Every structure is written in structure tokens, then in C-alpha cells.
Amino acid sequence: MRILILFLLCTQITFSQKFFTRTGVTAFKASVDAFEPVEAKNNSSTVILDVNSGKIATLLLIKAFRFRVALMQEHFNENYMDSDEFPKATFKGSIHDFNWENINSQKTYKISGILTIKGIEKPIETIGSIQKSNNQIVLKSTFSVSPADFNIKIPSIVRKKIANRIDIDIHYELSEKK
């Protein structure tokens, strides 16, 4: 009996269908009107989605964000994100009511989980659009966070040039992990 239970558990784990990317796009905008745009893009976000459970995990390296202005990138890594001490950000969560079999066109889903930046964990809840495209899953979403929630200190000299809420856009094209 124990062998049968062990076999069933291993079979379930083995046949769990996962989709994956290492080239997900995560971008943010922290711009305030009338000032130079504060925005960056990371084209190497790693994402894995278990389509059986709807569980999703994302990892991105902070230093992989690219700015148009090199000095902004330097300040971002050294002064705001402390990227040597906190080199990555993660998200671990679930896509609610996700059903791989029922995705025939673009659908929206509630996504919730824990976002970790600079070692600080905060719950995040957003809506994402998901669609199948050529045996891929395309996931897009936008949400916002407050720098203060993650102990990101904005010096008073530039405080008026950086938004109080940072808009984060994600675009992940996931392929089946073999």
C-alpha cells in the first residue's frame, strides 16, 4: 500500500506540466510629469508556471534593469536598491481559478502572492491577462508598489522627480519546460 501511495505521489509530481522563460520582460515607470522619465526594463526575468496548480514564481536580478541614462542606472543600483546587498527580487504566488484546458483566447485572472524586494515581503494582488499562443502562455499584467513599502529611500533633493507609486509592467512568454 505504501509503495502505491509513493508511486501515485511521484507520478503526480513527474507529470506536473510547467511552463518557463528566462527572457521575461519586467519594466517599471516612476516618472513624474515635467521631469525626465524615470523608467527601466529588465529583459531577463526568470518565470516558472505550474499549469496544473496555477502556482507561479518569478526571479529577476536587480542589476539587469536597463535605463536610458547610465547615471540613473548607477544611482538605482547603489543608492536606492542596494543591489550588491539585495541582488534579486522575487514573486511567489498563484493565478486564481487558472485552468490550462479552458484557455482558448485571452482571459483575465486574479494573481496574488508575495513580492520580495530588498528582503522585504509584501502581498501583491493584481489582474493579469493570459492567452495561449503557439504552445506558449503569454502573461501580461500591470500593478503598482510604493518605494516606502520596500524601504527604498528617496533623497529629498530628487523626491519631487520620482513618483510615490511605481508602475510595474510584466510581459512573459512561457514555453513548456521539458
Side-chain angles (χ1 to χ4, degrees), residues 42 60-65 76-77 81 83 86-89 117:
N42 181 323
L60 58 96
L61 298 177
I62 299 300
K63 286 187 177 181
F65 277 102
F76 172 77
N77 283 301
M81 297 301 292
S83 58
F86 303 102
K88 62 187 176 187
I117 299 174

Side-chain angles (χ1 to χ4, degrees), residues 21-169:
T21 187
R22 283 193 176 111
T23 58
V25 177
T26 304
F28 73 82
K29 293 181 183 174
S31 302
V32 175
D33 291 341
F35 290 103
E36 186 171 10
V38 178
E39 53 192 39
K41 187 184 287 188
N42 181 323
N43 293 317
S44 58
S45 302
T46 300
V47 184
I48 191 161
L49 169 64
D50 182 329
V51 296
N52 295 329
S53 67
K55 300 258 185 237
I56 187 166
T58 304
L59 178 134
L60 58 96
L61 298 177
I62 299 300
K63 286 187 177 181
F65 277 102
R66 297 293 173 241
F67 291 75
R68 289 186 320 185
V69 177
L71 187 58
M72 275 189 193
Q73 187 165 327
E74 183 179 326
H75 287 302
F76 172 77
N77 283 301
E78 293 176 8
N79 301 335
Y80 302 110
M81 297 301 292
D82 303 314
S83 58
D84 285 336
E85 184 178 351
F86 303 102
K88 62 187 176 187
T90 62
F91 175 81
K92 295 177 185 172
S94 297
I95 301 171
H96 297 267
D97 301 320
F98 181 79
N99 186 330
W100 168 249
E101 301 302 323
N102 290 339
I103 301 176
N104 297 319
S105 61
Q106 183 173 325
K107 292 190 173 203
T108 58
Y109 292 91
K110 180 175 136 183
I111 302 170
S112 64
I114 302 296
L115 178 63
T116 305
I117 299 174
K118 291 184 67 172
I120 298 170
E121 298 179 343
K122 292 290 179 182
I124 296 293
E125 192 171 289
T126 188
I127 300 296
S129 69
I130 298 175
Q131 71 181 64
K132 285 182 191 177
S133 177
N134 300 325
N135 289 331
Q136 286 190 319
I137 295 175
V138 178
L139 168 61
K140 297 178 187 178
S141 184
T142 299
F143 60 96
S144 65
V145 297
S146 169
D149 286 346
F150 295 98
N151 200 24
I152 299 169
K153 294 179 174 70
I154 311 296
S156 59
I157 196 165
V158 294
R159 189 167 292 133
K160 292 181 181 179
K161 297 179 180 183
I162 298 175
N164 292 329
R165 300 290 298 172
I166 311 298
D167 294 327
I168 299 172
D169 294 313

